[in-house]
Amino acid sequence: MTARPIRNFLEMIGILQRGLVAEKLNEALATTVETLQALPGGKGKAVITLTVEVACDQDRIDVLPAVKCKLPEDKAFARTPFWAFEGALSTQHPSQMDMWSAPRDATPPRAEGGADRA
């Protein structure tokens, strides 16, 4: 039997752990795409990291792969603004507290002194 040298990185990845590493990378890619498409707002970023540790022990070379997938955090909730008011939270801005306290007269002011125009 003749030894067949492997000089292609992708070919090496394909045979690591009898194909389990490539399968894990495919799963990470599928999960990443699915997660990004489901994000509210349609924006996000994920990172798939493949680390390949190569160690030499005399005539033997050991290859140890690691696959990590960092998905975006769930942003299902939006920020809600509150203001501090009397030692608690308020949904009203302090300078607008009296804005809706009572109905206001919406009639235009009358001009003083002058006759009505016909």
Side-chain angles (χ1 to χ4, degrees):
M1 184 167 145
T2 307
R4 186 175 69 98
I6 299 171
R7 292 188 174 92
N8 184 299
F9 188 80
L10 294 178
E11 183 180 350
M12 179 194 68
I13 296 300
I15 62 174
L16 287 174
Q17 297 293 309
R18 298 182 184 237
L20 291 177
V21 173
E23 186 178 313
K24 180 79 171 177
L25 286 165
N26 290 336
E27 288 173 7
L29 180 61
T31 301
T32 299
V33 171
E34 181 181 320
T35 302
L36 290 174
Q37 287 180 330
L39 285 176
K43 287 189 177 185
K45 183 166 66 170
V47 178
I48 300 172
T49 305
L50 168 64
T51 304
V52 180
E53 180 182 306
V54 182
C56 183
D57 183 7
Q58 308 233 341
D59 290 342
R60 186 181 79 205
I61 296 179
D62 292 325
V63 178
L64 177 63
V67 176
K68 294 181 182 177
C69 184
K70 183 178 184 238
L71 299 174
E73 294 181 19
D74 184 14
K75 295 182 180 180
F77 299 107
R79 187 180 309 206
T80 304
F82 291 98
W83 286 269
F85 180 70
E86 295 181 1
L89 298 177
S90 174
T91 57
Q92 291 181 312
H93 192 281
S95 66
Q96 297 177 349
M97 289 293 191
D98 65 344
M99 189 172 177
W100 306 108
S101 61
R104 296 182 183 177
D105 186 15
T107 57
R110 295 183 179 239
E112 290 186 29
D116 290 339
R117 294 184 180 178

